[in-house]
Amino acid sequence: MGLVETIRRFTDVGLHPSPGVTLFEDEAGFGALLRIAARALQGSTISRCLVGGIHSPLDPLSIAALQHAGVLHTPENAAGAMPGEAAAFLLVERAGASTEGLTLNGLAQTTDLPFIPGEAERPAGVALSTCLAATQAASASSTDLLFTSLNGTAHRAFDWGCAQVRLSADGPFEPETIHPALSFGDIGAATGPMAVCLADHAHQRGRLPASTAVVLASDTGQRASFGIAT
C-alpha cells in the first residue's frame, strides 16, 4: 500500500488497488507477473494493473552469500556479478485502452536446469532459445534490439552463447543487445520492467527499433521473453 501512495503522490495516475500478487523470484518472475496481469485484465472488474519488480541485495548478509556462492564480482573473480539496486513498475492496460505507451506481446515462458554452483551440468541455451523463438514468431519478424538479463557471471554468458548458436541455425541472429546490468549492476527482479522503461525512453526519442524484445533468465531455471511494439 505504501508503494501505491507514493505513486499517487508523484504522478497523476489514478489507482484504486485491489488485492495483488507478490512473487519472490528473480528476473524471469516478471514474465509470470505479466501473465497474471493479462489474465486479470480479461475479466470485467480490473481495467489496469501495476506490474514491476524490486531488487536490493546490498545488505551485508546478501553480499556474503553471493561471495560464498562464487558469483560476486571481486578483484579475484572477474566473471562475477556487481550487485545493483533498482525498482521499476509499469502500468499495464487492456489492448486498445490507451493511445500512449508501448505494447507488450509474444510472452513466452519455460524452464531449464537451475544453476547450482559447483555442479558440472548447467543450462546450455535450450530454454532461452525456445522462449525467444516463440516471441519472434509472435511478431513475425526477427529481433533488431534485445534487452537481456546477463549480469557478468560465466554461467549466464555460457547459456546465452549457446542460445545464440541455436537461434542462428535458421539464419543470422545478430540483434543489437542492451544489458541493463552494465549501467545499474545486477538488478535481478527489476531487470524486466527496467528494460521496458529503457525501451520507452528510446521510443520517446524516436530511437526504438520496430522489432524489440526482452529475454530474462533466472538462476532457478525459469526463462521468459516478450516483444515490445510501438
Side-chain angles (χ1 to χ4, degrees):
M1 189 63 68
L3 172 65
V4 172
E5 293 304 322
T6 300
I7 293 174
R8 283 174 173 164
R9 188 162 64 249
F10 290 103
T11 72
D12 58 356
V13 175
L15 296 173
H16 306 282
S18 60
V21 176
T22 301
L23 297 181
F24 293 93
E25 295 188 21
D26 288 337
E27 292 84 348
F30 182 63
L33 286 176
L34 285 178
R35 192 170 296 279
I36 292 170
R39 290 172 180 167
L41 292 171
Q42 290 176 355
S44 58
T45 59
I46 295 177
S47 59
R48 51 188 180 176
C49 298
L50 196 64
V51 185
I54 301 172
H55 188 75
S56 180
L58 301 180
D59 61 284
L61 287 178
S62 296
I63 295 294
L66 292 170
Q67 186 169 12
H68 180 72
V71 295
L72 183 68
H73 179 79
T74 66
E76 296 77 24
N77 181 28
M82 181 71 73
E85 184 176 49
F89 287 81
L90 316 175
L91 189 63
V92 181
E93 301 176 297
R94 296 190 185 99
S98 174
T99 58
E100 300 180 359
L102 302 173
T103 299
L104 307 186
N105 53 42
L107 176 62
Q109 293 175 271
T110 188
T111 58
D112 208 326
L113 294 171
F115 171 68
I116 302 174
E119 290 288 329
E121 197 171 12
R122 55 182 172 172
V126 176
L128 270 182
S129 59
T130 299
C131 274
L132 196 49
T135 295
Q136 290 189 137
S139 63
S141 63
S142 60
T143 302
D144 297 318
L145 176 64
L146 182 68
F147 291 87
T148 81
S149 57
L150 291 175
N151 61 4
T153 53
H155 65 277
R156 292 203 183 194
F158 177 80
D159 189 29
W160 174 236
C162 293
Q164 286 181 293
V165 172
R166 295 176 184 277
L167 289 164
S168 299
D170 296 326
F173 179 77
E174 300 175 343
E176 178 186 355
T177 55
I178 295 178
H179 316 296
L182 286 176
S183 300
F184 307 106
D186 183 13
I187 53 174
T191 303
M194 181 65 80
V196 179
C197 291
L198 293 174
D200 184 59
H201 282 295
H203 173 53
Q204 292 178 24
R205 298 194 303 270
R207 299 181 59 185
L208 186 69
S211 182
T212 301
V214 178
V215 61
L216 303 168
S218 297
D219 287 346
T220 57
Q222 301 298 316
R223 301 289 185 267
S225 64
F226 56 89
I228 301 176
T230 58

